[in-house]
Amino acid sequence: MKNKIKYGMIGGGPGAFIGEVHRKAAALDGHLELVAGAFSSSPEMTQKMGEELGLESNRLYDSFEEMAKAEAALPKEQRIDVVTVVTPNHLHFPVCKVFIEQGINVVCDKPMTNTVEEAEELCRLVEKHDIIFALTHNYTGYPMVKEARHLVKSGKLGSLRKIVVEYPQGWLSEPVEEQGNKQAKWRTDPQKAGVSAALADIGTHAENLVEYITGLKIEKLYADTTSFVEGRALEDDANLLVHYEGGVKGILYASQISVGEENPLKIRIYGTEASLEWKQESPNFLSLKYPDRPEEIYKRGNPYLSDAANFGTRVPPGHPEGFIEAFANIYKNVALTIKARKEGNEPGVLAADFPSVLDGLAGVKFIHKAVESGKENRWIDMG
């Protein structure tokens, strides 16, 4: 493909799970090409990763600061168009900040930052420097999530009343951070993960999924948070009552000590006319239920679905699409938006469909308000 969007990566060095996910997703549709990186705090590991990926040695950098400065100094046709940030949470803000200030577009893993103040600062910088900023809430990339959003907007469910969203995992049910698990070690460390573990890691996905599908913002919440594993500084389980706009009530459950669970993110939305249900572990199906007729099952890839759902679909019905493809839909849309900007055009509505810096701010506020509620044992207003 001619005129590929050139991107660089911060983090995602040897053995990093999420960095490899991002690289596969970015490559899937052929819109982007990885040309530069600072993959590790160790220059040796960056060189090793770069060699494995076949990158030129002069585009491998010892630090993200060096990379931002050097790439911005290159001629426009050579430098990166966008940087992907896949570091532990505590580095998201400084990395994003330095690239935004150099006028380079950003794709950042969630949560966007560790503090609300940092998130607000990134919002100001994105507006000031007029760059494209995407947050990889990848579950919004699933075609049937987009279909769910379309059905809610079209009034298929009637007036919304109740939302139940859950994301249980079991991988932190034992103190694996003390047994050499690097992912667990930083995710349970307040110095790197911030004020939260389970809420910051997966609770924010649940929060974002509700807002993406329904458009509803949280007005107030009550959180019951627990660190079940002895000695763990951050919560590994959270149960929330949530009040949304318009009198809609909700339950949000995020847990990493739910033994035997893998990644069964699930959302149920109940309206006055119908309800819907989507499960991440069966992502190609969307269920609609009615009070007076049989349940309907919508299937990915069919022509009866919305334009938004089919825009994020690559293969015919019956061929499963999943996790990598959902990430890829975010990367595809970011690439199409950057291309449109380069050509002096506005991106199409479907191409502009990806989580933004404002979604990042909402997520960080949610995390902090939920942690505050859990500590103080009371309802907290989001305002």
Side-chain angles (χ1 to χ4, degrees), residues 76-97:
K76 276 193 174 183
E77 65 275 11
Q78 295 180 24
R79 70 188 183 201
I80 59 172
D81 299 295
V82 59
V83 67
T84 291
V85 183
V86 289
T87 65
N89 299 354
H90 70 295
L91 291 173
H92 289 181
F93 174 71
V95 175
C96 291
K97 182 175 185 291

Side-chain angles (χ1 to χ4, degrees), residues 8 26 44 48 72 82 103 130 160 180 188 211 251 261 280 303 322 326 328 348 355:
E44 292 76 20
K48 179 181 178 182
V82 59
D130 193 28
L160 301 188
T188 57
E211 183 168 344
I251 299 169
E261 299 289 4
Q280 198 272 150

Side-chain angles (χ1 to χ4, degrees), residues 172-203:
L172 289 179
S173 59
E174 298 291 336
V176 292
E177 61 268 34
E178 299 173 6
Q179 301 164 11
N181 187 313
K182 292 182 179 179
Q183 185 80 192
K185 190 171 182 61
W186 79 256
R187 287 197 180 278
T188 57
D189 179 359
Q191 296 301 314
K192 294 183 178 180
V195 299
S196 167
L199 284 163
D201 188 14
I202 56 176

Side-chain angles (χ1 to χ4, degrees), residues 1 3-5 26 29-32 82 107 132 328-342 351 354:
M1 182 179 290
N3 303 317
K4 285 190 177 184
I5 298 300
D29 295 298
H31 292 294
L32 295 108
V82 59
V107 174
I132 295 161
N329 282 335
I330 292 177
Y331 273 100
K332 178 182 73 171
N333 289 355
V334 168
L336 292 175
T337 299
I338 293 173
K339 285 184 178 182
R341 282 260 194 117
K342 282 186 162 189
F354 53 82

Side-chain angles (χ1 to χ4, degrees), residues 121-141:
E121 176 66 7
L122 287 190
C123 289
R124 288 190 289 268
L125 289 171
V126 166
E127 182 176 8
K128 176 182 177 181
H129 294 276
D130 193 28
I131 63 102
I132 295 161
F133 188 105
L135 196 72
T136 49
H137 273 302
N138 59 295
Y139 300 108
T140 66

Side-chain angles (χ1 to χ4, degrees), residues 163-368:
I163 299 165
V164 182
V165 60
E166 60 187 69
Y167 199 156
Q169 296 176 335
W171 73 291
L172 289 179
S173 59
E174 298 291 336
V176 292
E177 61 268 34
E178 299 173 6
Q179 301 164 11
N181 187 313
K182 292 182 179 179
Q183 185 80 192
K185 190 171 182 61
W186 79 256
R187 287 197 180 278
T188 57
D189 179 359
Q191 296 301 314
K192 294 183 178 180
V195 299
S196 167
L199 284 163
D201 188 14
I202 56 176
T204 185
H205 274 311
E207 167 267 328
N208 178 261
L209 189 64
V210 172
E211 183 168 344
Y212 181 79
I213 293 175
T214 68
L216 296 174
K217 296 186 182 299
I218 298 173
E219 290 187 337
K220 61 181 180 178
L221 54 79
Y222 192 110
D224 177 15
T225 58
T226 308
S227 297
F228 276 104
V229 173
E230 186 176 353
R232 185 169 285 163
L234 300 175
E235 93 291 339
D236 47 31
D237 184 82
N239 305 280
L240 282 70
L241 296 176
V242 183
H243 288 185
Y244 296 96
E245 297 170 319
V248 178
K249 302 295 177 68
I251 299 169
L252 188 155
Y253 149 49
S255 173
Q256 293 177 313
I257 51 82
S258 295
V259 173
E261 299 289 4
E262 295 174 349
N263 283 281
L265 170 62
K266 180 167 71 174
I267 185 167
R268 285 164 283 170
I269 302 174
Y270 300 94
T272 54
E273 305 296 327
S275 67
L276 65 76
E277 180 176 35
W278 179 80
K279 303 174 183 179
Q280 198 272 150
E281 290 187 346
S282 302
N284 294 286
F285 304 94
L286 178 66
S287 168
L288 263 75
K289 300 176 184 179
Y290 303 92
D292 56 356
R293 59 186 187 273
E295 178 180 3
E296 296 176 356
I297 305 296
Y298 287 48
K299 297 182 180 181
R300 184 211 54 78
N302 283 283
Y304 56 74
L305 299 177
S306 64
D307 290 343
N310 284 322
F311 188 70
T313 296
R314 293 169 181 78
V315 295
H319 296 283
E321 289 187 289
F323 187 69
I324 299 292
E325 291 87 346
F327 266 101
N329 282 335
I330 292 177
Y331 273 100
K332 178 182 73 171
N333 289 355
V334 168
L336 292 175
T337 299
I338 293 173
K339 285 184 178 182
R341 282 260 194 117
K342 282 186 162 189
E343 295 165 358
N345 301 320
E346 286 295 318
V349 173
L350 297 179
D353 180 14
F354 53 82
S356 71
V357 71
L358 295 177
D359 294 299
L361 173 60
V364 175
K365 285 183 175 179
F366 162 76
I367 293 164
H368 282 261

